[in-house]
Structure formats: C-alpha cells, structure tokens
Amino acid sequence: VSAADPSPWTLRSLLKSATQLLESRGSSSPRVDAELLLGHAVGLDRTQLYMKLDRPVSVDEREAFRALIVRRAKLEPIAYILGERGFWQHTFRVDPRVLIPRPETELLVEHTLAFVGARRDAPWRIADIGTGSGAVAISLAAELPNARIVATDISAAALIVATENAEALGVRDRIAFMRGDALEPLTRRDARVDVLVSNPPYIAPEERGALSVDVAHFEPGEALFADAGGLAVVRRILAKAPNVVVPGGLVLIEHGTSQGVATRTLAHDLGAVSTIRDYSGHDRVLRVEVPGELPETLRIGPTHVPVETSNDAKPTVIAGAHAPASTEPAADTLSRDVLEDERALQELSSLERARREARLSGLPVINLERE
Ligand SMILES: C[S@@+](CC[C@H](N)C(=O)[O-])C[C@H]1O[C@@H](n2cnc3c(N)ncnc32)[C@H](O)[C@@H]1O
C-alpha cells in the first residue's frame, strides 16, 4: 500500500491488498484486521465499510491506513493499534502498559454477578487483584451500584491506565487503586472483602516459546508470566485469602487450562472449591466459597444462586469439594473496611475518612482497621 501510487484506490482494493500483505506476514485473521484498521483510518465501522466498498480513498486516508497496516504487519495486536478493546459492556482504553482483556475473563464478572444474585444494590466490598486495564473491577463497579472495589496491580503503569478507564466510565469514585504484590495492599490495611476476583499472570516462563508473537512480543511480561509453573502469584493470593475474604465470601481466580487440579488443591483449605469451564470447554476459573455467613448488610434476597448449568455450550462448574469450616471470626464481629486510594489515605486517616463518608452517604461506618 503506497501513498505515492496515483491509481484510484477504493476501499475494496485497499482491503484486498492489505489482506494479502497481512496474510503473508502471519496474521491469523488478515481480512478482519484489514477491515478494522481501514474502518479506523477512514472513520467507518465494518458495516458502513461494506456498504461503501467502491468509495474512493484520499491520499491522507491511505497514508493513515498504511501506518496502521505497517504496525499490524509486525504482528502488533489490533487492540493496541486501535487503542481500545471491548470487554463485558464497555470499551476500555488499552496500550502496551496493560494486558488486552480476553473474553474468557468475563467469567469473573459473570460468576460474581451469579453469586450476588438479586442483591445487586448491596454494599459489596470487592477486590480485583492484578487489575491491568481495570476491565474486571470497572465492569463490576458498573453492575453493582453500591459496591466499593479495591483494584490492585504490581505495575504502576497499569494502574494509571486503569484509573483513566475508571474515570472515563464514571466509576472512579468507588474504586481504590493500590499498588502491591498479590494481597499485600489489602493485608497491609487489614482490609476485608466479600468477593475477591483475580486474573493474575499464570503462564510458566518456560512456555514463552509456545505463545504467538502478538502476545509474547507485545503484551507486558509481568502480566503473563509467573514462576512455579505459572502458579506463584495464585499461590500468594490463596495463602493470604483467609485473612482478607470474609466468611460466606467468594474467591474467583482465572488460571491456565491445565491448572484446574493444582489450583483446587492449593485452595482446598479455604472453602468449597470448584472449577468453572470457559466457553471452549477448558478449565478456566477457580471458584471458592468460603464457609460461613456474609455480613448482615449483604444477606438480603436469595442467599445462594446456583452457577451450575447442564448446557454444554455454557461454562460449567466441573469439580467440587468441601473444606473444613473457616476459623475466621463471625462476620458481624468484623469491622467493615473503607477501601480508599493511596492519595486519599495520605490526606486523611482512614477512620476520619470513613466517618466523613458515612455522614455523607448514610452508609454504615466502614474503616480500614479492626476496631
Ligand atoms: C493477566 S493480567 C490481567 C489484567 C486484567 N485483570 C485483565 O484481566 O485483563 C495480570 C495483571 O496482574 C499484574 N500482576 C503481575 N504480578 C502481580 C503481582 N505479584 N501482584 C499483583 N499484580 C500482579 C500484572 O501487572 C497485570 O496487570
């Protein structure tokens, strides 16, 4: 695709030549890639593109398209080139500072909502560990209007992207972004949550060679790889989960397709464990229900919503085992936690902040420390 070529290019002819180029460079979806990038360059969606295939393309448009195709020809992911990716109900800004959210990660949102059931308006406290673009935390904040969410990441750069997404999608005020390893940002504050979700890095570094170029060369390594066969971060999360997740709470952790047994074993002492399969039928998410009762403020409406389904086309819970009862104190004796961002924590002591918020909102007093 040359900007200097004076021939009358149309959308159709550009699509054809770009598709051939991308195919020769190893794209697995050359036609769709070309359509998305051409649409982006000329300001049309894919449907409009098809309705105007014989529309001439200006030199400026061709030049803009050429720049995008050059990037894709090096196998840079389309989402980074376009700067966005759809996840659940929203479009998220993404760039190489964050992992591109995957469709299977929507299981974390779906199964949190299944657990919540009719109690959508309750004041859920949720942690999203390794938030990346913020896709999971923000989707949950949008679905649960009174939820307060802690979204953590080891990467400061990722937290900037997530914060911007939260602002753009109007849920920034209910998400506290915190930097740190695994559950450390929560344990440091003695915080408690009702639901803990995570899509941590879970690929063993030795498997790098098996990844496609799009992933291995472009997505952040710290979002992909973890030691101990990929399970190092999962292990650290599960080790501290009993200190963070309240009795009656839920833990959902995404993992690799071969890590179902290992993750269930690691979580066995935490509660009733099972594995959720993704839409391709692969083990994908560890699910743990912590024994006990949720705090009273959450016990309205149905207390249990089944997540199992007999339809093979749907994700299913495939294995379960009940663990010994938790040694956590009863939920009602636990203080509630205010989940605040670090800047606010510097400005106000957590208790002052909690009291101020409680006065403003009429919600029960929540604070970070146990009282
Ligand atoms: C697989 S990505 C998931 C991103 C996002 N939640 C999603 O699903 O699109 C894993 C994220 O965990 C972060 N991460 C890696 N190691 C971590 C650790 N030890 N503690 C907390 N976050 C970590 C990475 O920076 C990355 O943003």
Short mmCIF file of all heavy atoms in Angstrom, two decimals, residues 102-107 110-111 202 254-258 275-285 311-318:
data_model
loop_
_atom_site.label_atom_id
_atom_site.label_comp_id
_atom_site.label_asym_id
_atom_site.label_seq_id
_atom_site.Cartn_x
_atom_site.Cartn_y
_atom_site.Cartn_z
N ARG A 102 -9.32 -10.38 27.80
CA ARG A 102 -9.77 -11.50 26.99
C ARG A 102 -11.23 -11.84 27.30
O ARG A 102 -11.68 -11.67 28.44
CB ARG A 102 -8.92 -12.74 27.28
CG ARG A 102 -7.42 -12.54 27.14
CD ARG A 102 -7.02 -12.25 25.71
NE ARG A 102 -5.65 -12.63 25.43
CZ ARG A 102 -4.58 -11.85 25.55
NH1 ARG A 102 -4.71 -10.59 25.98
NH2 ARG A 102 -3.37 -12.29 25.25
N PRO A 103 -11.93 -12.40 26.30
CA PRO A 103 -13.34 -12.76 26.54
C PRO A 103 -13.53 -13.72 27.71
O PRO A 103 -14.49 -13.58 28.47
CB PRO A 103 -13.78 -13.42 25.23
CG PRO A 103 -12.77 -13.03 24.21
CD PRO A 103 -11.50 -12.68 24.92
N GLU A 104 -12.61 -14.68 27.88
CA GLU A 104 -12.82 -15.67 28.95
C GLU A 104 -12.77 -15.02 30.34
O GLU A 104 -13.34 -15.55 31.30
CB GLU A 104 -11.82 -16.83 28.86
CG GLU A 104 -10.36 -16.45 28.89
CD GLU A 104 -9.77 -16.24 27.50
OE1 GLU A 104 -10.54 -15.87 26.58
OE2 GLU A 104 -8.55 -16.43 27.33
N THR A 105 -12.10 -13.88 30.45
CA THR A 105 -12.03 -13.20 31.75
C THR A 105 -13.38 -12.64 32.15
O THR A 105 -13.62 -12.35 33.33
CB THR A 105 -10.93 -12.11 31.69
OG1 THR A 105 -9.71 -12.75 31.29
CG2 THR A 105 -10.71 -11.44 33.02
N GLU A 106 -14.29 -12.51 31.19
CA GLU A 106 -15.64 -12.08 31.54
C GLU A 106 -16.32 -13.07 32.49
O GLU A 106 -17.28 -12.73 33.18
CB GLU A 106 -16.49 -11.90 30.27
CG GLU A 106 -16.00 -10.73 29.43
CD GLU A 106 -16.86 -10.48 28.20
OE1 GLU A 106 -17.74 -11.30 27.91
OE2 GLU A 106 -16.63 -9.46 27.53
N LEU A 107 -15.80 -14.31 32.56
CA LEU A 107 -16.34 -15.28 33.52
C LEU A 107 -16.24 -14.75 34.95
O LEU A 107 -17.09 -15.07 35.79
CB LEU A 107 -15.58 -16.62 33.43
CG LEU A 107 -15.84 -17.48 32.19
CD1 LEU A 107 -14.86 -18.64 32.14
CD2 LEU A 107 -17.28 -17.98 32.17
N GLU A 110 -19.21 -12.50 35.26
CA GLU A 110 -20.44 -13.29 35.18
C GLU A 110 -20.70 -14.06 36.48
O GLU A 110 -21.82 -14.08 36.99
CB GLU A 110 -20.29 -14.26 34.00
CG GLU A 110 -21.51 -15.05 33.68
CD GLU A 110 -21.24 -16.00 32.50
OE1 GLU A 110 -20.40 -15.67 31.64
OE2 GLU A 110 -21.85 -17.06 32.47
N HIS A 111 -19.66 -14.69 37.01
CA HIS A 111 -19.85 -15.53 38.19
C HIS A 111 -19.89 -14.71 39.48
O HIS A 111 -20.46 -15.17 40.48
CB HIS A 111 -18.82 -16.64 38.23
CG HIS A 111 -19.18 -17.74 37.27
ND1 HIS A 111 -19.85 -18.88 37.64
CD2 HIS A 111 -19.03 -17.80 35.93
CE1 HIS A 111 -20.08 -19.62 36.56
NE2 HIS A 111 -19.59 -18.99 35.51
N TYR A 202 -0.31 -16.24 34.83
CA TYR A 202 -0.30 -17.67 35.18
C TYR A 202 0.43 -18.54 34.16
O TYR A 202 0.28 -19.77 34.16
CB TYR A 202 -1.72 -18.18 35.45
CG TYR A 202 -2.75 -17.93 34.37
CD1 TYR A 202 -2.70 -18.59 33.14
CD2 TYR A 202 -3.82 -17.07 34.60
CE1 TYR A 202 -3.67 -18.38 32.17
CE2 TYR A 202 -4.79 -16.84 33.63
CZ TYR A 202 -4.72 -17.50 32.42
OH TYR A 202 -5.67 -17.29 31.46
N GLU A 254 -8.84 -16.68 37.79
CA GLU A 254 -8.62 -17.26 36.47
C GLU A 254 -7.27 -17.98 36.44
O GLU A 254 -6.32 -17.58 37.10
CB GLU A 254 -8.65 -16.15 35.40
CG GLU A 254 -8.48 -16.71 34.00
CD GLU A 254 -8.66 -15.65 32.91
OE1 GLU A 254 -9.47 -14.72 33.09
OE2 GLU A 254 -7.98 -15.79 31.88
N HIS A 255 -7.20 -19.05 35.64
CA HIS A 255 -5.94 -19.79 35.53
C HIS A 255 -5.83 -20.43 34.16
O HIS A 255 -6.76 -20.38 33.34
CB HIS A 255 -5.84 -20.84 36.64
CG HIS A 255 -6.99 -21.81 36.67
ND1 HIS A 255 -7.16 -22.79 35.72
CD2 HIS A 255 -8.04 -21.93 37.53
CE1 HIS A 255 -8.25 -23.48 36.00
NE2 HIS A 255 -8.81 -22.98 37.09
N GLY A 256 -4.67 -21.07 33.91
CA GLY A 256 -4.46 -21.74 32.64
C GLY A 256 -5.27 -23.02 32.54
O GLY A 256 -5.70 -23.59 33.55
N THR A 257 -5.45 -23.49 31.31
CA THR A 257 -6.35 -24.62 31.10
C THR A 257 -5.86 -25.91 31.76
O THR A 257 -6.65 -26.81 32.00
CB THR A 257 -6.54 -24.87 29.59
OG1 THR A 257 -5.25 -25.05 29.01
CG2 THR A 257 -7.23 -23.71 28.92
N SER A 258 -4.58 -25.99 32.07
CA SER A 258 -4.07 -27.22 32.69
C SER A 258 -3.88 -27.06 34.20
O SER A 258 -3.28 -27.92 34.85
CB SER A 258 -2.72 -27.60 32.05
OG SER A 258 -1.80 -26.55 32.30
N THR A 275 -14.20 -25.77 39.79
CA THR A 275 -13.56 -25.16 38.62
C THR A 275 -14.64 -24.81 37.60
O THR A 275 -15.50 -25.63 37.31
CB THR A 275 -12.55 -26.13 37.98
OG1 THR A 275 -11.55 -26.43 38.94
CG2 THR A 275 -11.91 -25.52 36.74
N ILE A 276 -14.56 -23.60 37.08
CA ILE A 276 -15.51 -23.17 36.05
C ILE A 276 -14.82 -23.33 34.70
O ILE A 276 -13.66 -22.93 34.52
CB ILE A 276 -15.89 -21.69 36.27
CG1 ILE A 276 -16.59 -21.53 37.62
CG2 ILE A 276 -16.79 -21.20 35.13
CD1 ILE A 276 -16.66 -20.09 38.10
N ARG A 277 -15.54 -23.92 33.78
CA ARG A 277 -15.00 -24.07 32.42
C ARG A 277 -15.37 -22.86 31.57
O ARG A 277 -16.43 -22.26 31.75
CB ARG A 277 -15.55 -25.32 31.76
CG ARG A 277 -14.92 -26.58 32.27
CD ARG A 277 -15.49 -27.77 31.53
NE ARG A 277 -14.83 -28.98 31.93
CZ ARG A 277 -15.37 -30.18 31.78
NH1 ARG A 277 -16.55 -30.32 31.21
NH2 ARG A 277 -14.71 -31.25 32.16
N ASP A 278 -14.50 -22.54 30.62
CA ASP A 278 -14.81 -21.43 29.71
C ASP A 278 -15.69 -21.93 28.57
O ASP A 278 -16.07 -23.11 28.51
CB ASP A 278 -13.52 -20.74 29.21
CG ASP A 278 -12.62 -21.68 28.42
OD1 ASP A 278 -13.11 -22.68 27.86
OD2 ASP A 278 -11.40 -21.41 28.35
N TYR A 279 -16.01 -21.04 27.63
CA TYR A 279 -16.94 -21.40 26.56
C TYR A 279 -16.33 -22.37 25.54
O TYR A 279 -17.02 -22.92 24.70
CB TYR A 279 -17.48 -20.14 25.86
CG TYR A 279 -18.50 -19.43 26.72
CD1 TYR A 279 -18.13 -18.43 27.60
CD2 TYR A 279 -19.84 -19.81 26.68
CE1 TYR A 279 -19.07 -17.80 28.41
CE2 TYR A 279 -20.79 -19.20 27.48
CZ TYR A 279 -20.40 -18.19 28.34
OH TYR A 279 -21.32 -17.59 29.14
N SER A 280 -15.01 -22.58 25.63
CA SER A 280 -14.38 -23.60 24.79
C SER A 280 -14.31 -24.94 25.52
O SER A 280 -13.75 -25.90 24.99
CB SER A 280 -12.96 -23.18 24.42
OG SER A 280 -12.97 -21.91 23.83
N GLY A 281 -14.83 -24.98 26.74
CA GLY A 281 -14.85 -26.24 27.49
C GLY A 281 -13.58 -26.49 28.29
O GLY A 281 -13.39 -27.59 28.82
N HIS A 282 -12.71 -25.49 28.43
CA HIS A 282 -11.47 -25.68 29.17
C HIS A 282 -11.60 -25.18 30.62
O HIS A 282 -12.27 -24.17 30.86
CB HIS A 282 -10.33 -24.88 28.52
CG HIS A 282 -10.02 -25.31 27.12
ND1 HIS A 282 -10.05 -24.44 26.06
CD2 HIS A 282 -9.69 -26.52 26.62
CE1 HIS A 282 -9.75 -25.10 24.95
NE2 HIS A 282 -9.53 -26.36 25.26
N ASP A 283 -10.93 -25.89 31.53
CA ASP A 283 -10.86 -25.40 32.91
C ASP A 283 -10.31 -23.97 32.87
O ASP A 283 -9.28 -23.72 32.24
CB ASP A 283 -9.88 -26.25 33.73
CG ASP A 283 -10.46 -27.62 34.07
OD1 ASP A 283 -11.58 -27.92 33.60
OD2 ASP A 283 -9.79 -28.37 34.80
N ARG A 284 -10.97 -23.06 33.58
CA ARG A 284 -10.52 -21.67 33.42
C ARG A 284 -10.51 -20.85 34.70
O ARG A 284 -9.67 -19.97 34.88
CB ARG A 284 -11.42 -20.97 32.38
CG ARG A 284 -11.05 -19.56 32.05
CD ARG A 284 -9.64 -19.42 31.55
NE ARG A 284 -9.50 -19.95 30.21
CZ ARG A 284 -8.32 -20.03 29.58
NH1 ARG A 284 -7.21 -19.62 30.16
NH2 ARG A 284 -8.24 -20.55 28.37
N VAL A 285 -11.47 -21.11 35.60
CA VAL A 285 -11.56 -20.26 36.79
C VAL A 285 -11.73 -21.12 38.04
O VAL A 285 -12.62 -21.98 38.09
CB VAL A 285 -12.74 -19.26 36.68
CG1 VAL A 285 -12.93 -18.49 37.99
CG2 VAL A 285 -12.53 -18.29 35.52
N ASN A 311 -26.15 -27.11 30.40
CA ASN A 311 -25.98 -26.86 28.97
C ASN A 311 -24.50 -26.88 28.62
O ASN A 311 -23.71 -26.09 29.11
CB ASN A 311 -26.60 -25.49 28.65
CG ASN A 311 -26.43 -25.14 27.20
OD1 ASN A 311 -25.71 -25.82 26.47
ND2 ASN A 311 -27.10 -24.08 26.79
N ASP A 312 -24.09 -27.78 27.76
CA ASP A 312 -22.67 -27.94 27.43
C ASP A 312 -22.07 -26.71 26.80
O ASP A 312 -20.88 -26.49 26.85
CB ASP A 312 -22.47 -29.13 26.50
CG ASP A 312 -22.45 -30.42 27.29
OD1 ASP A 312 -22.41 -30.34 28.53
OD2 ASP A 312 -22.50 -31.49 26.65
N ALA A 313 -22.93 -25.92 26.15
CA ALA A 313 -22.41 -24.72 25.49
C ALA A 313 -22.05 -23.64 26.49
O ALA A 313 -21.41 -22.67 26.17
CB ALA A 313 -23.44 -24.18 24.51
N LYS A 314 -22.50 -23.81 27.74
CA LYS A 314 -22.28 -22.79 28.76
C LYS A 314 -21.14 -23.22 29.65
O LYS A 314 -20.87 -24.39 29.82
CB LYS A 314 -23.54 -22.66 29.63
CG LYS A 314 -24.70 -22.06 28.91
CD LYS A 314 -24.53 -20.58 28.86
CE LYS A 314 -25.82 -19.84 29.06
NZ LYS A 314 -25.61 -18.44 29.25
N PRO A 315 -20.48 -22.26 30.31
CA PRO A 315 -19.45 -22.64 31.26
C PRO A 315 -20.07 -23.46 32.39
O PRO A 315 -21.20 -23.21 32.79
CB PRO A 315 -18.96 -21.30 31.81
CG PRO A 315 -19.46 -20.28 30.88
CD PRO A 315 -20.68 -20.85 30.23
N THR A 316 -19.37 -24.43 32.89
CA THR A 316 -19.91 -25.26 33.96
C THR A 316 -18.93 -25.41 35.10
O THR A 316 -17.73 -25.33 34.91
CB THR A 316 -20.22 -26.68 33.45
OG1 THR A 316 -19.10 -27.13 32.69
CG2 THR A 316 -21.46 -26.71 32.60
N VAL A 317 -19.49 -25.64 36.26
CA VAL A 317 -18.65 -25.98 37.41
C VAL A 317 -18.42 -27.47 37.32
O VAL A 317 -19.37 -28.24 37.26
CB VAL A 317 -19.39 -25.62 38.71
CG1 VAL A 317 -18.58 -26.08 39.90
CG2 VAL A 317 -19.63 -24.12 38.75
N ILE A 318 -17.18 -27.89 37.27
CA ILE A 318 -16.95 -29.30 36.97
C ILE A 318 -16.47 -30.12 38.15
O ILE A 318 -16.48 -31.32 38.10
CB ILE A 318 -15.93 -29.48 35.84
CG1 ILE A 318 -14.61 -28.84 36.20
CG2 ILE A 318 -16.48 -28.98 34.54
CD1 ILE A 318 -13.45 -29.49 35.51
#
